[in-house]
Amino acid sequence: MTALIETVDTADGAFTILESEGRVLASGWTADPAAILVRLHPRHRPAQVDSGRTDAAAAVAAYYDGDLAAIDAVPVAQRGTDLQRAGWAALRSIAPGSPLTYTEFAAALGSPGAVRAAASICARNAPALFVPCHRVLRTGGALGGFAWGLPVKERLLAREATIR
């Protein structure tokens, strides 16, 4: 498989997208391609990665220009267990400005006691922003973890809170 990689500037810093056949494989707030590739299991990494323009870059620009729904239609490709795939799909249904706690996210997956599994689904999410794992918080509203740093998560949530 061949993939394209592109880094764009955002209000939260450099954002890099790895895309193959029009689907985002991985993305995040970094200008380092290696930091994006490492988000994928070694056997799922593209055989070749070329610099180029990705389809998803336009959605990132639109999101940062205030169209928070622009990321919703961007196709993604993730490999994982049935529970992980269900979790990643559920993350895409969390509305901007309406974050869930890990407990609420676990309940939405039909497993209210599986809070650790819910957190693991978020941690293993490779196409950040397009699958908005940043919309899941600890009980009480604490940010919890985020692969791209808590300051980025905090700014994303603040940006999205303005649309309530």
Side-chain angles (χ1 to χ4, degrees):
M1 159 179 46
T2 299
L4 292 175
I5 197 160
E6 179 180 16
T7 300
V8 297
D9 290 325
T10 74
D12 294 318
F15 184 80
T16 300
I17 304 160
L18 180 67
E19 185 179 280
S20 180
E21 299 175 359
R23 300 170 76 101
V24 175
L25 305 176
S27 55
W29 288 266
T30 181
D32 180 7
I36 298 299
L37 287 168
V38 77
R39 300 291 298 163
L40 300 173
H41 189 281
R43 73 173 170 255
H44 301 305
R45 292 180 189 150
Q48 182 176 333
V49 177
D50 298 324
S51 294
R53 297 184 71 61
T54 61
D55 295 337
V60 173
Y63 173 89
Y64 276 96
D65 284 341
D67 180 3
L68 301 181
I71 60 173
D72 296 345
V74 173
V76 298
Q78 294 194 88
R79 295 185 184 183
T81 66
D82 289 343
L83 179 62
Q84 287 171 328
R85 288 192 310 273
W88 294 323
L91 286 170
R92 294 195 92 178
S93 70
I94 301 172
S98 300
L100 300 178
T101 65
Y102 287 105
T103 302
E104 291 168 331
F105 181 52
L109 295 175
S111 302
V115 175
R116 285 181 189 246
S120 176
I121 287 167
C122 292
R124 296 182 195 284
N125 177 44
L129 186 61
F130 306 104
V131 177
C133 58
H134 64 273
R135 295 180 185 157
V136 182
L137 308 170
R138 287 186 177 159
T139 301
L143 293 179
F146 189 58
W148 306 106
L150 293 183
V152 172
K153 183 173 184 171
E154 185 173 39
R155 288 189 302 269
L156 291 169
L157 291 169
R159 180 176 296 107
E160 293 177 356
T162 65
I163 67 155
R164 285 186 204 185

